[in-house]
Amino acid sequence: MYTKREEKELYDLSKSLLAGKDKRAPKEVAADLRRVITYHEWKYYVQNDPVISDYEYDLLFKQLQELEAEHPKLKTADSPTQRVSSDLSPEFETVRHKVPMLSLDNSYNANDLYKFDEQVRKLTGEKHIIYSVEPKLDGGSIALLYEDDVLVRAATRGNGREGEEMTPNARAMRSIPLRVAFTDKGIQQAEVRGEAVIRKDVFHKLNKQRQEEGLILLANARNSATGGLRTKDPSETAERGIEAYMYQLAFARDKYGKDAIPIFRSHHESMDLIADLGFRIVTKGRKLCKDIEAVIAFCETCEQERDDFPYEIDGMVVKVDSFALQEKCGSTSHHPRWAVAYKFKARQATSKLLNVEYQIGKTGTITPVAKLTPVALAGVTVSSVSLHNEDFITGKDLRIGDQVLVERAGDVIPYIVKSLADLRDGSETPIKFPKKCPSCGTKLIRAEDEAAWRCPNASCEAQVLQRMIFHVSKDAMDIDGFGHKQIIRFYELGWLHSIADIYNLDYDAIAELEGLGEKSAHKLRTSIEKAKQNPISRLLHSLSIHHLGKRASSLIAARVKHVLELKDWTMENLTDIPDIGPVVAKNVLEFFSEPKNIRILERMEGLGVNMHQTKDDKPPQIKHGGPLDGKTILFTGTLSQMTREEAEALAANAGAKNISAVSGNLNILVVGEKAGSKLKKAQGLGTVEILSEEEFLKKVKT
Ligand code: IVH
């Protein structure tokens, strides 16, 4: 359909249209917009391989819509704006919707919403409008028709006028009632519309199961839901766990065929009725707002809480609540004028891979980092993205000069989804992973069971610097006010050669530095003096011994009176500690058999750094017979009513064992605020009891 060259040209043209600095005549711009939109629709719908994000597509579409609205003469019959997008397939029987299923107009910011409100007020002649706001679920839309209380037909949206009949599939979905007491309300025929989605936790479980069965993984919840609606086998719809959340009573007629909607005054009343009648509607993110300011504030809050919704949402839908006012607003052939979608910031964008840099970690791990042309993603400009390791690069066949699709989802750091290989023009070059350390030139090594290449030279300058940065960080010695910038500055001044130098700084010289002064120097001194008294569990962790995490450091700290005792320890001494494996043990032994390291620790002790076990190094004793006897527990996220240590002590006191990772062995996960991947993983396992802080406290107190 398109040659490679044409594809490249259309892609470049899209980017320049998106940049929005076109000075050409509207006619030419509109023609180009039509060309690129048609191309992207083909990539998306036919090839199933989009090269731009949905957000970028929406922007192009909107540009064309606006241009055509400004210059109606530019509208052509074949313009993509003149059709409602379609998912019709010849495999299903087509049915005509009783009332067209329109689309929604989009808005992207507060300004767009103010404009929408202004237009609504103009159309209705009202000063104040009450809006009903609800999440925009990202799935497939369905229309359910009931006659004499029985579900008689279910259809997808299709092209808006006609949809695909999928009644057997709808009947297989437990969230869709087969019989509804509409006639009690005087309604003989009604159509209820909503969105079919797969909840995030269900989707993760589904994919895990598929993985175990060796099946191809489903790409995302949205496509799996729309695909599941249109399968020929209703049991497949049921197995995918698709659920329908209803968002509109599209029409209702009494037994004389008269419109029965006037018995409700508003959208929210009709939704309450729908819920009462046994349909599922959303609860989180549904609100009646007294004006557009309240709408804006609520949309922004929900955008921030986007990841807390149990299903994927890509925005909010703002609807004029009163039915009478909706009628006054009317509709265009594309969308109602009484509603608008507020689209959340894009999570995907395309950008060019300019270069790859190699970062050296504190234990010598080499991490390739892609440098990209800066792109805005969900409100943050992204210009570098980790490529993790060599296998990631080869697995995705990434090349320098490639156009790549970048995604930033929720709390997940940005990552490259794929390269857009179709757009290559031959100038791209392969990424050559280095064989030698970019800092010290030592030959890199890769352990058999590890994905990373490492520089084995512990004296490698880049590693030493990273170890110092880690040493002062919150996770390690927690030296307040000593960030990585400070470390780099002092290192460049030649003041720091090893972590011991951190405890031997010349504060008078620091006070002389630009931007610092007496006060900062004093503050830093206080923090460093305080850190000298840290328990040895922290100190052990701060040494950057490969694989020695916080928990293993605590386990070892609980067994030694003085850190330097570890010089004389054997493999058995270490592996006798439950949960200390041979790999960590070997690394600890290696560290303590290196004279250079011992000299550094001795110097630190001489400078006043504590090397003796203190009571903080003793793990809380598990008390048997308590309410959580024999259970394993893990805390994640920020706790608001107690510190992590207090929570762990309470758990141990109730008989539970604190463990550090989510696995099949975990019984209870207590989630604080901003819980991230651990919560997701636990939900995915389906065997972990998930408790809030309050629920946990209630349990341990019984
Ligand atoms: S109201 C005439 N409410 O978004 C009003 N739509 O881009 C039309 N959608 O096809 C729909 N959540 O499938 C409405 N709470 C919600 C929605 C919602 C998701 C979908 C719907 C529609 C698409 C429009």
Side-chain angles (χ1 to χ4, degrees):
M1 173 114 180
Y2 293 93
T3 66
K4 271 194 154 192
R5 254 186 65 194
E6 283 167 342
E7 287 208 38
K8 173 103 183 58
E9 186 228 319
L10 286 163
Y11 179 81
D12 291 342
L13 183 58
S14 315
K15 284 278 157 174
S16 79
L17 287 163
L18 281 166
K21 287 179 199 125
D22 224 311
K23 295 261 177 332
R24 291 176 301 156
K27 191 174 168 192
E28 286 170 48
V29 180
D32 277 353
L33 280 166
R34 276 197 290 272
R35 263 194 332 127
V36 298
I37 292 171
T38 307
Y39 163 66
H40 292 305
E41 286 181 348
W42 174 75
K43 284 302 275 185
Y44 187 97
Y45 290 109
V46 182
Q47 293 229 302
N48 205 6
D49 183 26
V51 292
I52 58 169
S53 62
D54 292 357
Y55 174 70
E56 287 165 316
Y57 171 83
D58 285 350
L59 286 182
L60 290 169
F61 197 88
K62 209 173 155 79
Q63 264 189 44
L64 181 58
Q65 263 181 336
E66 281 172 4
L67 211 56
E68 288 177 345
E70 257 175 66
H71 310 275
K73 274 203 198 122
L74 295 181
K75 225 181 259 180
T76 59
D78 66 347
S79 174
T81 57
Q82 297 308 298
R83 72 158 163 209
V84 193
S85 58
S86 158
D87 57 9
L88 290 178
S89 117
E91 298 226 342
F92 285 84
E93 197 165 321
T94 307
V95 289
R96 180 166 274 274
H97 294 299
K98 302 242 170 221
V99 179
M101 284 183 91
L102 297 182
S103 217
L104 284 169
D105 199 15
N106 289 330
S107 68
Y108 298 95
N109 49 44
N111 210 14
D112 290 349
L113 287 175
Y114 278 121
K115 274 198 221 149
F116 165 71
D117 178 57
E118 202 182 298
Q119 202 201 4
V120 169
R121 282 187 286 116
K122 215 186 265 167
L123 289 167
T124 57
E126 295 285 319
K127 271 210 185 80
H128 300 288
I129 307 284
I130 296 175
Y131 292 103
S132 187
V133 185
E134 56 203 55
K136 185 168 184 304
L137 273 61
D138 198 9
S141 34
I142 49 168
L144 308 174
L145 183 66
Y146 289 83
E147 280 171 5
D148 298 319
D149 295 348
V150 179
L151 172 70
V152 292
R153 189 182 91 180
T156 64
R157 174 162 171 269
N159 63 14
R161 272 166 280 115
E162 294 174 326
E164 283 165 356
E165 215 244 48
M166 34 79 63
T167 319
N169 293 354
R171 289 207 180 107
M173 292 162 61
R174 289 178 184 271
S175 52
I176 295 180
L178 301 178
R179 174 172 276 280
V180 177
F182 278 116
T183 45
D184 287 357
K185 310 278 168 197
I187 299 170
Q188 188 268 327
Q189 191 187 46
E191 189 171 279
V192 185
R193 293 176 179 174
E195 198 82 352
V197 297
I198 302 181
R199 279 206 328 258
K200 292 187 232 178
D201 57 339
V202 175
F203 179 71
H204 287 137
K205 237 187 253 173
L206 197 64
N207 249 352
K208 202 166 164 247
Q209 204 179 327
R210 289 180 80 97
Q211 190 173 19
E212 275 159 19
E213 290 167 17
L215 298 172
I216 295 172
L217 298 191
L218 302 165
N220 58 51
R222 177 180 191 270
N223 290 358
S224 315
T226 51
L229 283 180
R230 302 166 72 218
T231 120
K232 280 278 170 202
D233 173 7
S235 68
E236 169 84 20
T237 316
E239 270 165 31
R240 289 200 187 181
I242 306 172
E243 290 170 72
Y245 290 84
M246 308 320 288
Y247 57 63
Q248 192 188 19
L249 179 63
F251 75 82
R253 289 199 185 119
D254 64 16
K255 60 182 175 202
Y256 309 107
K258 247 182 75 206
D259 191 358
I261 284 203
I263 60 169
F264 314 106
R265 272 164 311 194
S266 63
H267 175 65
H268 87 272
E269 271 180 16
S270 70
M271 292 312 292
D272 288 344
L273 174 84
I274 283 177
D276 276 352
L277 287 173
F279 291 94
R280 185 166 298 181
I281 66 166
V282 299
T283 43
K284 184 177 166 62
R286 180 175 171 231
K287 190 173 172 175
L288 209 55
C289 294
K290 69 174 191 338
D291 54 27
I292 200 70
E293 277 80 16
V295 169
I296 292 166
F298 187 59
C299 285
E300 284 169 356
T301 308
C302 288
E303 179 157 15
Q304 272 167 13
E305 291 173 0
R306 177 178 186 171
D307 294 313
D308 302 339
F309 283 81
Y311 27 68
E312 299 289 350
I313 63 172
D314 60 347
M316 304 297 288
V317 183
V318 182
K319 299 173 180 173
V320 171
D321 191 48
S322 148
F323 280 151
L325 296 183
Q326 284 190 2
E327 198 148 323
K328 276 195 179 172
C329 291
S331 303
T332 73
S333 64
H334 177 264
H335 60 264
R337 289 201 192 86
W338 46 262
V340 72
Y342 169 83
K343 296 285 278 254
F344 290 161
K345 298 216 174 44
R347 300 193 135 179
Q348 279 198 345
T350 51
S351 175
K352 188 171 177 174
L353 199 167
L354 301 171
N355 187 18
V356 178
E357 289 179 3
Y358 297 89
Q359 286 178 353
I360 304 155
K362 61 189 195 306
T363 57
T365 304
I366 310 288
T367 308
V369 178
K371 298 286 158 185
L372 311 173
T373 312
V375 273
L377 268 188
V380 176
T381 304
V382 177
S383 57
S384 8
V385 180
S386 172
L387 299 177
H388 310 292
N389 52 53
E390 189 181 22
D391 294 346
F392 184 89
I393 297 173
T394 41
K396 300 210 175 229
D397 183 26
L398 301 177
R399 302 185 196 171
I400 291 172
D402 266 350
Q403 290 294 337
V404 289
L405 188 64
V406 195
E407 179 163 322
R408 178 173 171 264
D411 52 357
V412 183
I413 45 176
Y415 73 100
I416 291 185
V417 182
K418 62 174 185 178
S419 68
L420 307 173
D422 288 352
L423 300 172
R424 285 182 184 148
D425 62 7
S427 67
E428 300 75 15
T429 52
I431 297 169
K432 279 203 205 99
F433 207 89
K435 296 265 174 288
K436 288 182 178 166
C437 172
S439 169
C440 68
T442 308
K443 196 162 172 272
L444 300 179
I445 53 162
R446 180 174 170 174
E448 228 172 77
D449 51 349
E450 285 186 20
W453 286 95
R454 289 182 57 219
C455 164
N457 171 19
S459 312
C460 168
E461 290 278 300
Q463 280 184 54
V464 172
L465 182 62
Q466 291 302 321
R467 286 205 292 270
M468 291 194 286
I469 291 172
F470 176 70
H471 182 82
V472 300
S473 72
K474 208 169 178 54
D475 258 355
M477 294 298 266
D478 190 18
I479 305 184
D480 203 22
F482 209 170
H484 73 280
K485 283 198 186 128
Q486 234 55 303
I487 291 275
I488 294 172
R489 190 167 181 193
F490 295 175
Y491 173 80
E492 283 170 354
L493 285 165
W495 295 353
L496 298 175
H497 303 281
S498 79
I499 53 170
D501 293 331
I502 291 169
Y503 302 93
N504 195 27
L505 287 167
D506 178 347
Y507 295 103
D508 292 335
I510 292 174
E512 297 290 310
L513 289 181
E514 204 186 313
L516 284 172
E518 285 281 342
K519 218 165 147 190
S520 306
H522 178 73
K523 233 173 108 188
L524 192 59
R525 180 181 206 145
T526 316
S527 305
I528 291 175
E529 287 305 314
K530 185 169 156 237
K532 286 182 180 173
Q533 305 310 319
N534 274 339
I536 58 170
S537 51
R538 268 194 185 274
L539 178 67
L540 282 173
H541 186 221
S542 77
L543 300 175
S544 299
I545 297 172
H546 197 26
H547 293 314
L548 182 71
K550 260 191 198 168
R551 185 173 148 72
S553 302
S554 297
L555 292 173
I556 297 173
R559 306 264 178 142
V560 290
K561 292 265 168 301
H562 189 281
V563 171
L564 289 170
E565 276 169 30
L566 288 167
K567 265 193 317 190
D568 308 318
W569 273 40
T570 62
M571 191 73 176
E572 286 69 43
N573 290 144
L574 281 158
T575 49
D576 275 353
I577 305 177
D579 286 352
I580 297 282
V583 178
V584 180
K586 180 174 157 276
N587 295 342
V588 172
L589 290 186
E590 259 174 32
F591 182 92
F592 282 93
S593 61
E594 172 59 55
K596 224 193 221 161
N597 292 335
I598 302 302
R599 276 202 299 279
I600 290 175
L601 284 169
E602 283 171 350
R603 222 183 116 218
M604 282 165 74
E605 187 168 31
L607 291 165
V609 178
N610 169 51
M611 298 277 158
H612 292 275
Q613 187 189 64
T614 52
K615 75 171 191 340
D616 294 345
D617 295 315
K618 299 243 174 60
Q621 289 296 309
I622 300 173
K623 226 190 238 164
H624 293 289
L628 301 181
D629 199 11
K631 300 259 192 223
T632 56
I633 195 165
L634 172 64
F635 295 85
T636 187
T638 317
L639 303 178
S640 61
Q641 309 191 22
M642 54 202 150
T643 64
R644 189 65 68 91
E645 286 72 25
E646 283 164 353
E648 288 179 357
L650 276 175
N653 207 30
K657 181 179 168 199
N658 291 284
I659 64 173
S660 58
V662 179
S663 71
N665 294 331
L666 181 66
N667 302 127
I668 302 169
L669 181 75
V670 182
V671 289
E673 269 175 50
K674 299 215 175 88
S677 58
K678 287 203 172 111
L679 172 59
K680 280 191 193 136
K681 195 165 169 199
Q683 284 169 334
L685 282 172
T687 52
V688 183
E689 185 181 358
I690 296 170
L691 298 180
S692 67
E693 229 179 310
E694 287 75 27
E695 287 166 336
F696 163 72
L697 285 171
K698 221 184 266 168
K699 268 205 183 215
V700 295
K701 280 183 183 145
T702 50

